[in-house]
Structures are given as structure tokens and as C-alpha cells.
Amino acid sequence: MRTVLMVAEKPSLAQSIAKILSRGNMSSRKGLNGACSVHEYTGSFIGQSAHFKMTSVCGHVMTLDFIGKYNSWDKVDPAELFSKAPTEKKEANPKLTMVKFLQVEGRGCDCIVLWLDCDKEGENICFEVLDAVLPVMNKPRGTERTIYRAKFSSITDTDICNAMNHLGEPNRNEALSVDARQELDLRIGCAFTRFQTKYFQGKYGNLDSSLISFGPCQTPTLGFCVERHDKIQSFKPETYWVLQAKVNPEKESSLTLDWDRVRVFDREVAQMFLNITKLAKEAKVESVSKKEKVKQRPLALNTVEMLRVASAALGMGPQHAMQIAERLYTQGYISYPRTETTHYPENFDLKGCLRQQANNPYWAETVKSLLSEGINRPRKGHDAGDHPPITPMRAATEAELGGDGWRLYEYITRHFIATVSADCKYLQTTISFSIGPERFTCVGKVVTSPGFTEIMPWHSIPLEESLPHCEKGDLFPIGEIKLLEKQTSPPDYLTEAELITLMEKHGIGTDASIPVHINNICQRNYVTVESGRRLKPTNLGIVLVHGYYKIDAELVLPTIRSAVEKQLNLIALGKANYHQVLEHTLDIFKRKFHYFVDSIAGMDELMEVSFSPLAATGKPLSRCGKCHRFMKYIQAKPSRLHCSHCDDTYSLPQNGTIKLYKELRCPLDDFELVLWSSGSRGKSYPLCPYCYNHPPFRDMKKGMGCNECTHPTCQHSLSMLGIGQCVECENGVLVLDPTSGPKWKMACNKCNVIVHFFENAHKVRVSAETCDLCEAALVDVDFNKAKSPLPGDETQHSGCVFCDPVFQDLVELKHAAMRHPMHRGGQGKRQGRGRGKGRRPGGRLNPKKPKDKMAALAAYFV
């Protein structure tokens, strides 16, 4: 019997597909990485009985990155990143050990069926999976085919079974186009980002952005927002005048007429028209025309339109809307949400999808009448050749989906029903009047057939006062004629919906990446999202874009990225060579980069006007070890210390608070220590600003505090405050936090484990002696007599945090489940402990003995 491995893109999809193909008759087990399950069943595959193993990945298996030293901002000139720097594929999430998991499951399999999402990213993941699995699969006999690709658009029984019966092959060209985009974005983005981040953060203190990033798509996206901002700033309002007339067809009613000239910008001319018309006592009907007009039903829904509506009408950001749509898809409620197509194929079961909605109280009547009277064929839209438009595939209730999930599903469903409904028809009546020599018009609309507006009421024709019945030559008394003074108004800031439209029009990003680019410019503090989901550029965003325009407008204009996107699409179609496109594009951007570096002074002039230099920012905090003057603490992102006398800047740990640490100094360089804290419930540790940026010992890395320093005698170092190996992670050491009293704690210097102990103790010190059982450092604890929890009213005790029965009830672990035997009951079994997160069910037969702190250090650093 042949074994067939099947791989989906997400664990939930694997489960749904396996359920459908096995008709619910499958066995499931967790994979070795804990994140993916394996569903097994027996069935037939291409006319032969086979054993199926259905599993999944969690998105991309691999990610592209530079090798070794090229990841260091300090050691490499950013210009080298365009060509010299070699890249490699690394595991996207090493903790998931996805490659090992796939190889374990793929070993000994005869065939593989790829159920990855059917878009370019999905094709790329197909080949990542194949690279991992093919070496361990059974070798094919002769020319036997072993690799299959399933093409599907929704998680329904029909679509999945149909995909299984019509298996194809993965598309190498589409996968290559994704590889090309990844490499271009990595090389171009990193080179520009590293250069401008180091240049400007080394000069200015209040940029308030930890990264001044550049992206071939991200920057033109920001450009659109700043372009609108510039239009608003340069707008000069103009005064204009409008003539408004009211006639009284009947005694009680009045009709407002619109002036055919619309408006004039000269007050005297407007006054002249007012004087002329005021001479007339009556308005004469010159013509009456009636026309039947049609408001077309919407085109079928694609991704970009869904994101536009989600932002404009539902108040959801594009990234959030996309996440919800993906969840609805994996649960089987809607078809694949990433599509550029607005045209249903001829064989699409529209009636089947409509029948699913026949019992929903919100639209049951509309659906039933459509099914009985016959549906309208949806309008012919654009067929991009990817997936059908976004369609509801199964009925749902508000209780099932809840909140935003229901709101998005409701819109998708209403939109779908509207596409198969009739057009909205209305009768438009236009009456033309003359008052003296001037012409005025009045328009009225009456709906004759509401059509799709019943299900999409927000598109309905607004109710208007009905126009009076009249014929040519009729005269009506004039109620009033007046001159209205108005002003032209500036455009508003771009909404997300308008930005999405601009990005689509100019070919910036894909339907999948548009939300990511918009989210990036928000996270980088280049724009802020105002009420009505309008995007207002920040000072930093404005200065950057103006700087790009000043140096090289093509860096921010959409033209060059649009051309690159076209080249990438040609790779996907097999019409362009991957290496040539890559080489040509990188060559263009390399030249642009060198010119940008040479011309950076132009952008710097703009920065000087908007931002303060480092020396003028921040507050004095700690003394420099070189000149012994106070260094200033700059709180704005990224927080750092700057010595204006030495003109040196020292980076600090982020996302926490920094304060002076008792005016104590580092024994190596005489810099005053500072204390970093993530809050009262989190970790805190002291650090030397100089050592943090320039590691003093070979076994230390940049960005290590005193809790990882291997200085043998410093009172703040790991050697003096380390207690024992972390109870959760491999390499961490639990280090006493000497500032935490009276709520004492020790924290792992690698992971987020915190152990609270000895609350209200007067003093806690780490002893030089170690525990005989587990080799952890002993701890000396002093309590006040009134608050001592020690037996026999003792106030002092020395013992092991893990093994001493006296300390057993005084230790409490946070952020993780305690795995130490002491906390698993039984006083006699203290020969070792289980291993934390990676522990297999049932534990190990030979638990690993905890190392003492120096052995743990050796294991970590060697």
C-alpha cells in the first residue's frame, strides 16, 4: 500500500480537508513540533489503495536573510547588500522545527499532494515543503509521478473532492516571482533602512521611531499620504457666489432650483445676475424631460474592494479585515479571500451558494424570491485567472461568528446576493426653468424597481420630494431669489479606502501585501490613523518624503515599483528570466543608493528644521566613564544615552523604563550603571551603557546587561547573582534581582520566567556555597521577627530555593508552569527534574540534573 503525504498551509485547514476527504473517518495525533497535527486515514489514490497522512505547515517554512556578518549593522557597509552580501534561506520560525517535522512525517512516503493556498505565495511554500521532504521520500520507480498540486478556492465538500480528482503540478515560475520579490525587498529595504537609520538617529534625538525604514512599496504608499497632505497645506480657499431661486408651485409648497451656471467667482458679476433675475415675477417652464435610468448592481467582490469597504463602512483597518477574512475562509464560511477576479466562471454554482442563505432571517425573503423568480447572471467583470470572487460558502449566524467576523461576513453575503439581483431602476424627471434670461433646473427621482438596493440599502436612491406635474410654458410664482456666498474647501486627508484605490491603480503591492504596507507606515510612526480612518502623516513621514523628492523623486513615486511589479508578473508567467530581472533591478537601485548617500545633506537640511539635535534632547541621567560628565537620556524611540562632550551615543534596552542605579559604577570602564525595568510585574536588571554596546568579554554579545556579564568578581554580575539553571529554557540562568525587595524575585536572563520568593524578607543574598542535591547556589534570607514565616520564629535561614523544604511554600513561579520536583509533591524524589516546555507526555525516564550556575554558563557560552 502506498503512503501519500498531504500538506496544507495551516493546521485548521489540514483538519478541515482531512475531515472532508476521509468522510470523518480519520485518526489524529500531534506532530513533534506541537503546533501541527497529523490526520491519518485509508482511501484510494489514483486507482490504488493508499494510506494518507494529512498535515500542515504554519505559513512560510523558510525566510530569506543575509548570512553571518552581513546581519550586523556595524560591520558592513550597506552598499555591499546589493550584490556582495550572500543570502540564505533560514527557517522562518526555528521554534517550530518545521523542516525536521516535515522530514519525520515525509520519511518513507511514496507521493506528496500539496494543499497550499492557491496564490503565488502558496506556490512558493510548495517548493519550500518539497525541498524539505523530497530527500527523505521513497525514490520514484522509473518515470513515476510523485508530486501533485491540489487547486481549490473554498473549503467545501464539492471543491475539495473536485480538487482531489483533478490534481495538477506546482508552478515553479510563480514560486520564482515570490523569491525575486523577497530578495529585492530584502536587499533594497535593508540597504536604505540601515543607512538612513544610522545617519539620522546618530544626529537627532526626537525622531520617535526606532527604525527609519525604506521599502520599495512602503515608501510610495507613504508618498500618496504626504502628497495629499501637501495639497491640503498649499490650498488657498477662494470665495464664490451661487444664485439660489425658490418657486411656489402651490401655496404651501416651495421648490429649490439649481442655477445652470453653477457658480461665479466675481462678486460684481454675481450681483448683476441677481439684479436681472429679481426683475422677473414668475418662473417659466422651458422643458420637462423624463428618463428611465439604471443603477447597476455591483461587480462580484475581490480583495481590494472588500478591504475598501471594510475600512470605509465597517471601520476596520485593512490588516485586521484580512485576518478576519482568512479566519472565515479557514472555517469554511467564505471562499478564498485573496483574489483579483470580479468575474464568476460559467460553471460556478451560484444557485447552490444562494440556497445556503435561504434561512437567514436578515435576507431570507430576498433569497427565496430570487430562487423562485430566477437569478440574474452577475455582471461580466475582470478575470485575473486566479480564484473566483469572494463568495459566502455556508450559512452563519451572528452568534457563531461574533463581532467583526459577523459584520464582514454579513457584508460579503449581502454583496454576493446583490450581484445576482436585478439592477435598480428609477425614473428621473428634469424640469428646466427660465427666470428672466437665466436658466435654472430641478431634478427628481422616483424608484420604479429597487432591485439590488433592497439587500444593499446604503446604495438606494435617496427619497426626494416629488416634483409638481407641469408642462412646457407653465408659469410659477417666484418665492425668493438670493445670492449665497461660499468658499472652496481643501481636500481631506486620504482614507485607507482611497489609499487602497491609489495603490491598486498604480500597481503598488498585491492584493495580499497592500494591508501589510499600510500597516507598516502606521507602525513606523510615519502616519497616524485619525477619525474616519483617515491617514495623517507625521512630521517624520513628511520630512522623509520631501527629502526623497529633493534627492531622487523615483524613490517615492509609484512608477519604478509599478515597473518592477510588471517584471515580477512576467517571471510568474514564464516570460522573463528570474536572474536577469533581479540583476537589472538591483543594479538600478544600487546606483540610486550611491546617489542618495552622496546627496543625503539635502534631506538633512529638512531634518534640521523639524527635529532637535541629540545634544539638545533628553535629560541628564548618568555619568560617562570617559569624561565623567552627565550623559542625557533620550526617551523618544529608540531610547538611548548620549554624551554630548564625547559625542558618543549608547543604545539601551527598549520597551521599558530606565533610571540611575544607586550611582554605582562598572568596575571595568567607570560608567555609572542604569537600571532597566519592564514594570513592577516584569523583569528588571542593571546594565553598564558601555558594556551593553561594547561587550568586554569574548563570551558576551552586544545587548547584554549585568545579569549576563561573566565578570568574576563584580557584585552585579551573573557570577555573583546567578542562582541556578532556568526551569523552562535551555540556556537561561535564574538571576537574583537585588532591587526587587521586599517582593523579592529572580528572573531568567534569557526567557520570560520570573520566580517570586521570600516576600517581606529584610535581605536576600546569593551564597558562594551550592546545593548538594541540585548544585544550584544557596540563598541566605533574613526576615524581620514580626513577619518571619520561618519555623520556630527563626529570622535567618540559608538553603536551596529548589530543594529546601523550609523554602517550599515561599517560592512562586510566574509566566510558566513550574517543573521542579519540589512543586510536584513527594519529598523523597529530588534527584532531578523534568525539562519544561519541550517535555514529552509522561516525562523522561532519566530527568536531566540541573547544572550549577557556572556549568550553565559554560554550556551557554562555549
Side-chain angles (χ1 to χ4, degrees), residues 305-329:
E305 182 59 23
M306 178 189 75
L307 295 176
R308 265 198 291 258
V309 172
S311 175
L314 305 179
M316 294 183 205
Q319 184 117 3
H320 179 53
M322 205 67 225
Q323 285 166 350
I324 291 169
E326 281 175 2
R327 194 182 78 228
L328 292 173
Y329 159 68

Side-chain angles (χ1 to χ4, degrees), residues 340-566:
E340 294 174 19
T341 297
T342 56
H343 175 74
Y344 281 107
E346 296 300 318
N347 60 354
F348 194 90
D349 185 12
L350 293 163
K351 280 190 176 172
C353 292
L354 201 57
R355 277 192 207 100
Q356 294 274 353
Q357 304 297 334
N359 296 320
N360 190 299
Y362 290 104
W363 44 73
E365 282 183 32
T366 310
V367 169
K368 282 171 185 168
S369 68
L370 276 171
L371 289 168
S372 60
E373 293 164 19
I375 62 170
N376 285 285
R377 187 85 205 141
R379 285 167 59 196
K380 192 170 173 62
H382 167 65
D383 185 0
D386 48 0
H387 288 270
I390 303 167
T391 311
M393 301 311 293
R394 121 172 176 230
T397 62
E398 193 168 353
E400 272 175 73
L401 303 180
D404 288 347
W406 166 255
R407 289 165 65 224
L408 190 62
Y409 174 82
E410 181 188 11
Y411 170 72
I412 291 167
T413 307
R414 285 183 182 276
H415 191 111
F416 167 68
I417 298 167
T419 60
V420 294
S421 300
D423 290 338
C424 170
K425 292 176 183 172
Y426 60 94
L427 191 67
Q428 182 170 297
T429 307
T430 308
I431 307 173
S432 183
F433 292 88
S434 63
I435 301 177
E438 287 305 292
R439 288 290 183 105
F440 293 81
T441 308
C442 186
V443 178
K445 295 168 186 171
V446 178
V447 175
T448 53
S449 168
F452 78 93
T453 60
E454 282 187 328
I455 195 73
M456 295 177 98
W458 57 93
H459 280 305
S460 58
I461 305 296
L463 287 169
E464 294 176 353
E465 287 182 45
S466 56
L467 295 182
H469 179 73
C470 58
E471 290 176 7
K472 186 180 177 181
D474 286 359
L475 297 170
F476 291 112
I478 295 169
E480 67 169 337
I481 294 181
K482 60 182 176 182
L483 205 57
L484 299 178
E485 184 179 303
K486 296 187 176 184
Q487 275 199 328
T488 54
S489 55
D492 214 331
Y493 284 104
L494 280 180
T495 61
E496 280 172 335
E498 290 166 337
L499 181 57
I500 292 164
T501 306
L502 282 170
M503 291 173 76
E504 185 193 30
K505 179 184 168 186
H506 291 281
I508 299 297
T510 61
D511 53 357
S513 66
I514 282 173
V516 178
H517 301 313
I518 295 175
N519 189 49
N520 278 346
I521 62 171
C522 297
Q523 284 194 328
R524 297 281 181 264
N525 193 32
Y526 294 162
V527 297
T528 54
V529 182
E530 306 289 307
S531 62
R533 300 212 67 84
R534 294 190 178 275
L535 301 170
K536 185 179 180 182
T538 61
N539 227 355
L540 179 59
I542 294 162
V543 170
L544 279 175
V545 169
H546 288 175
Y548 295 133
Y549 271 118
K550 195 172 178 182
I551 296 170
D552 180 357
E554 282 192 336
L555 291 175
V556 76
L557 288 171
T559 44
I560 196 161
R561 182 59 192 194
S562 182
V564 171
E565 287 288 350
K566 282 174 187 162

